[in-house]
Amino acid sequence: MSNQAKKDQTQELIKETAKNLFFVKGKFDATTQEIADAAGVNRTLINYYFRSRDNLIQIIFDEAQKVEHEKSEIIMNSDLPFKEKIGQFIEGSLSTSLQYPYLETYIVSQINKRKLSQKRYRRR
């Protein structure tokens, strides 16, 4: 296996482990050390590949959002009748919810954090 392939594999392992901790187990406050321990890698690799925990979360979230958007586009651009499109969309949403049960909770918590920080900023 080439060095680049090994790096890519390690980077993907870290992302998948973090996704599992955040969106499957609901550990939104998981530290880089907890992610590293779960992935079986050195914590410094997380900073090497992603620069920070927050950046890792953002990358994971952006990738998930992109995949969901692409799925929705495929359904909406299909020639299926409207009712079947809605059915496929609901099926896809349920599938994602079963795979990542805490994803929606995470999204709502992030929206609330942003709203709170905006309120604090306006008060100043």
Side-chain angles (χ1 to χ4, degrees):
M1 182 184 297
S2 72
N3 267 353
Q4 186 59 43
K6 189 173 179 181
K7 286 180 181 180
D8 292 346
Q9 188 178 22
T10 302
Q11 191 172 6
E12 198 58 36
L13 172 66
I14 292 168
K15 286 195 300 189
E16 287 302 314
T17 302
K19 258 195 258 186
N20 185 50
L21 286 172
F22 297 138
F23 305 139
V24 177
K25 294 184 178 179
K27 292 190 73 174
F28 304 141
D29 60 346
T31 64
T32 53
Q33 187 63 56
E34 289 173 308
I35 296 166
D37 290 345
V41 299
N42 190 313
R43 183 176 57 86
T44 57
L45 286 176
I46 294 173
N47 291 325
Y48 174 77
Y49 289 120
F50 303 102
R51 302 291 176 231
S52 70
R53 176 191 170 278
D54 291 339
N55 196 38
L56 170 60
I57 293 170
Q58 190 62 51
I59 289 168
I60 292 168
F61 184 72
D62 290 346
E63 286 178 3
Q65 196 172 25
K66 181 182 174 191
V67 167
E68 290 305 310
H69 179 74
E70 288 170 356
K71 286 181 188 176
S72 296
E73 286 291 314
I74 290 169
I75 293 168
M76 290 306 169
N77 292 331
S78 72
D79 292 332
L80 295 171
F82 182 72
K83 282 186 177 182
E84 287 184 42
K85 286 181 181 183
I86 296 299
Q88 283 192 357
F89 183 78
I90 291 170
E91 231 177 81
S93 295
L94 287 174
S95 175
T96 300
S97 293
L98 290 172
Q99 186 178 6
Y100 301 111
Y102 290 96
L103 180 59
E104 291 175 0
T105 305
Y106 175 78
I107 293 168
V108 171
S109 70
Q110 292 306 302
I111 290 169
N112 285 335
K113 277 185 183 178
R114 286 189 189 120
K115 285 182 180 179
L116 285 174
S117 65
Q118 287 173 351
K119 283 182 182 179
R120 287 184 196 135
Y121 180 75
R122 287 185 198 143
R123 288 182 189 162
R124 292 181 182 176

